[in-house]
Amino acid sequence: MAHDPVSAGDGAEDALAASRRESSRTEGFPTVGVLGGGQLGRMLALAGLRLGLRVRFFRDDDSGPTEGVAESVEGTWDDADALRRFVSGCDVVTLENEWQDLRTLVQVLPPGVALWPSRQTMRWVGDKIAQKQRAEALGLPVGPYRACDSLAALEQAAAALGLPVVIKRPRQSYDGYGNATAHDAAELRAAYAKLAEGDGRVLVEAFVPFVRELAVMVARRPGGQDVAYPVATTIQREHRCAAVEVPARILPAVAEQATALARRAAAAYGCVGVVGVELFELPDGQLLLNEIAPRPHNTGHYTIEGCVTSQFENHLRAVLDWPLGDPSLVRPAAVMVNVLGHREGPASAATLPAVLALPGVAVHVYGKRRVRPGRKMGHVTVLDDSVEAARARAEAAAAQLEL
Amino acid sequence: MAHDPVSAGDGAEDALAASRRESSRTEGFPTVGVLGGGQLGRMLALAGLRLGLRVRFFRDDDSGPTEGVAESVEGTWDDADALRRFVSGCDVVTLENEWQDLRTLVQVLPPGVALWPSRQTMRWVGDKIAQKQRAEALGLPVGPYRACDSLAALEQAAAALGLPVVIKRPRQSYDGYGNATAHDAAELRAAYAKLAEGDGRVLVEAFVPFVRELAVMVARRPGGQDVAYPVATTIQREHRCAAVEVPARILPAVAEQATALARRAAAAYGCVGVVGVELFELPDGQLLLNEIAPRPHNTGHYTIEGCVTSQFENHLRAVLDWPLGDPSLVRPAAVMVNVLGHREGPASAATLPAVLALPGVAVHVYGKRRVRPGRKMGHVTVLDDSVEAARARAEAAAAQLEL
C-alpha cells in the first residue's frame, strides 16, 4: 500500500475535508447503503455478507439483480421520503452507478453519514467533459479532445482533430450506449443527433491508435492509502468490454507506469472506494488515461476468484475506512469473459448445467429476469497457469452459456 | 469423478429409487429450499446466488444468519401450512441441519420435488446408533461400540469396552453438545444422565487411540457420480472442531485410503449432496470411520477460498443433479480456524478492522446477533505455500477476532 497525496487543488481539498467526517460507528456491524440495484450491487452485497456487514439498496425498479439479496428501499431519485428511509440507519452510502441524480439524496443525508465517492468526485467524474478537463489540469496524460456545445462546434473540432473521431455523451454514458465513432460528416451528424445532451454538449476525442486497452482497479481509503490490482488487458467489442485478461501481456516497465498512472488518477479525482481506471497503450509504450469509473468495474470482476481480496470486498473496506486487502492474484493468470444476451425473453438456466461440466469455470449469473440482445447477463472467470490457456477456456465456456 | 455403485442392500435401493424422481425443472432458474437457517444455510445461499439460483429457507426463528440473505418462511417443524408455503415453488429441498423432525415436511412435499438427503439417508444418519450399525453391516471399518438403552447396559458395555469410553446422544448431537468422555463410574453416570434420549438410549464407543482426526468432504449426485475434496486434518478442542488443515500431513497411501473410505461411506448411506466424513487415523495408518454428516460441514469451510469449487456450490450442484465442480486446491495449503464466542452479549465488529489488516486473511462472519461463550460466530481461512505457514497466520488472526 502506498500513500499518494497528490496535490490536487481546491476541489481535492474539499474532498479530503469531506473525507474526514467520521461515519457513525456502533459496536455492531455497519450498514452500507448502496445506490442502485444492478449486478455490481449484487456482487457488493455478496462480499459484504461474508464480512457480516448489513447492505441496503436504493433502487428505482424491483426486477433487478439485487431483489431478495439484501434489504432495499424502492423509489425515484427525487423521492425525499424514500431516500430518508433508505439513509436512516446507514453508516455510509456508496453507489454502484455514477449516473444517478443525487441532488435529493445529499439533501437528506444525515450529518456524519459519509457518501463515497464524494459529491466532488462525482462532479469531476460524472461528466466526461469535466473528467477530461480535470485530468488535463493536473497534468495526467490524455489524448486530444474538445468539448463541443453545438453541431457546428463538433464539425470544427472534428476537422481540427482529424477523422475518425470518437463522440461521447458527457453523462449517462456507459457500456457503449453513449459512444460512437464517426468516419465522415454524415456519421458526425448522426452521432451528434443521438448523443448530444439536452444542452447540446458532446465530448469529441481524436481516434487514438492504441495497441491495447488496459485497466487497473485501485482501491483507495479516505486518507489516500491505496492498493492497486494487477494491470489487465480489456478486449472490447462495439465499445463494450467483452473479455479481461490478467496480467496484461505487457513489458514490466509499462505495467509499472500503468499502475502509477492509475493511482495518480484515483487521487486526482479524490476517489474513495474502488476505481476502475481505463488506459490506452500507444505503440511506443506511452500511456494515456481514457476514462475512470469511481466504483467496482466490469474489468475487475476477475478479482472475485482471481485475487486474495476481491474488488467488491475492497470497495466496502475502503468506504468504511477499514484496512484494504491484498490485491494479488492467487494463480498466475485469470480471464473473465462477459455473457451477453442474444435474444429477447425470460432468462433461462437451460445451458447452465453443461457449462458447469467444464472444469474450473466459475459462473456468475446476475439474476436478471429478462434477457435482451447485448444485455450483460453474467460472466465466467477461469484461472490457469497462463493467460492463453485461461482465455481459451473462458471463451469456450461463455460461448456455450445462453442465459 | 468416479462412479462408485456400492451394493448397499434394500435401503440403498430405496434411496436410489427415490433419487430417480425428477425435480420439476423450468426454463428459469431453480429454487432450492433449505431446511434450517444457520451459517451453513447462509453460505449455501451466497454460493447459490452466484449461480443465479433462488434460495428459500425454512426457519424456526428469525434471528439467524440467514435473515435478509434470501427469502424465508418461518414456522415450527410441525406447522403443515407454513411448510406447504415453503415447499410451494421449490424445485428441490435440502437441509443444513440433519436434526430436525421432518415428518410433517415429507407429508406436504409435492410429488416431483426431491428431498436430498433422502429420508432413508436421514434414517441411517440422523441416529448415531443406526449410523454405526449400517456402517458395520456394510463392512466399513468402525471402532468398538455398543448401543445401550439403560444405565445398567451402559455400565456393562463400558466394562466390556474398557474405560475411558465416549458416550454420545444418538440424536441432536453436534459440536460437542451431545458427547462426553467418561473415565470412571461417576463420570459414566453423569454422562448417562445428561445424554440419554427420552427412550433411555445412548451410544458408547471405545476410546480410539488415534494419532489424527481426518475429514473428507464428498459431493455425490443422485446417480452416484461423486467428487472428493482433499483429505483434511481436523484439530478438535473439547469435542469441537477448532481448526482444519489441508492437505493433511499424512502418507500418500493413507490419503488414498481415506478418500476411498469416504466415498464408500457416502455411497453406503445413499447420500446426495455434500457429505462430511470424519475418520480416525490409528498409529499403524489404519483408518476407522467416526461419523458422517450429510450436508456441508465445518471441516469444509476452507473450500470457499481454498478450492476451485466450494463445498456449498457443489452441494447445490449435487442436489440439482448438475455436474459437479473441481474440488482441487487453488494454492498448496489452506487452513481454517473457527472463531468462537468468548462472552455473552450483542455481536461486535470492534476487532474486525484490525484483523482485516492482516494480509491474506479471509474473514467470514455469520451474522449472529448475539454472542455466547463457545458459539460459532465466524471463521477465518488462510491460503499459503505450506500448511505450517497457513496455520500460524490463521491462528493469529482468529485469536484477534472477537465477534
Side-chain angles (χ1 to χ4, degrees), chain B residues 163-174:
Chain B
L163 288 168
V165 291
V166 178
I167 299 108
K168 295 181 177 176
R169 181 185 300 146
R171 294 180 167 276
Q172 305 286 346
S173 172
Y174 65 101

Side-chain angles (χ1 to χ4, degrees), chain A residues 1 26-30 42 45-46 48-54 67-71 304-305 308-309 313 317 322-326 329-331 343 346-350 352-354 356-369 383 403, chain B residues 1 26-30 42 45-46 48-54 67-71 304-305 308-309 313 317 322-326 329-331 343 346-350 352-354 356-369 383 403:
Chain A
M1 299 188 199
T26 60
E27 268 289 283
F29 287 80
R42 179 182 178 96
L46 297 183
L49 285 165
R50 220 201 59 193
L51 292 178
L53 305 178
R54 300 177 197 281
E67 190 193 340
V69 176
E71 62 187 71
I304 297 175
E305 289 82 19
V308 176
T309 308
E313 180 171 336
R317 293 189 189 204
W322 283 3
L324 300 174
D326 182 352
L329 287 171
V330 294
R331 290 282 307 274
R343 60 179 210 291
S348 165
L352 183 54
L356 294 178
L358 303 173
V361 175
V363 176
H364 294 255
V365 179
Y366 299 156
K368 297 178 183 180
R369 286 192 194 149
L383 311 184
L403 294 170
Chain B
M1 298 188 200
T26 60
E27 267 289 282
F29 287 81
R42 180 183 177 96
L46 297 183
L49 285 165
R50 221 201 60 195
L51 292 178
L53 304 179
R54 299 176 197 282
E67 191 193 339
V69 176
E71 61 187 74
I304 298 174
E305 290 82 19
V308 176
T309 308
E313 181 172 336
R317 292 189 189 204
W322 283 3
L324 300 174
D326 183 352
L329 287 171
V330 295
R331 290 282 308 274
R343 59 179 211 291
S348 164
L352 183 54
L356 294 177
L358 303 173
V361 176
V363 177
H364 294 254
V365 179
Y366 299 156
K368 297 179 183 178
R369 286 194 193 148
L383 311 185
L403 294 171

Side-chain angles (χ1 to χ4, degrees), chain A residues 261-275:
Chain A
L261 177 50
R263 288 177 136 153
R264 280 179 65 204
Y269 296 98
C271 293
V272 169
V274 151
V275 197

Side-chain angles (χ1 to χ4, degrees), chain B residues 252-343:
Chain B
V254 176
E256 270 176 44
Q257 285 170 36
T259 306
L261 177 52
R263 288 176 134 153
R264 278 178 66 204
Y269 297 98
C271 293
V272 170
V274 151
V275 197
V277 182
E278 300 178 10
L279 307 169
F280 292 129
E281 183 192 353
L282 303 183
D284 63 359
Q286 288 298 301
L287 298 170
L288 296 179
L289 184 62
N290 176 20
E291 289 184 11
I292 81 158
R295 51 164 170 79
H297 195 253
N298 194 172
T299 57
H301 291 353
Y302 77 89
T303 62
I304 298 174
E305 290 82 19
C307 296
V308 176
T309 308
S310 78
Q311 67 166 345
F312 299 101
E313 181 172 336
N314 262 338
H315 184 76
L316 295 167
R317 292 189 189 204
V319 301
L320 288 163
D321 202 6
W322 283 3
L324 300 174
D326 183 352
S328 310
L329 287 171
V330 295
R331 290 282 308 274
V335 170
M336 188 278 326
V337 176
N338 278 330
V339 177
L340 305 181
H342 293 297
R343 59 179 211 291

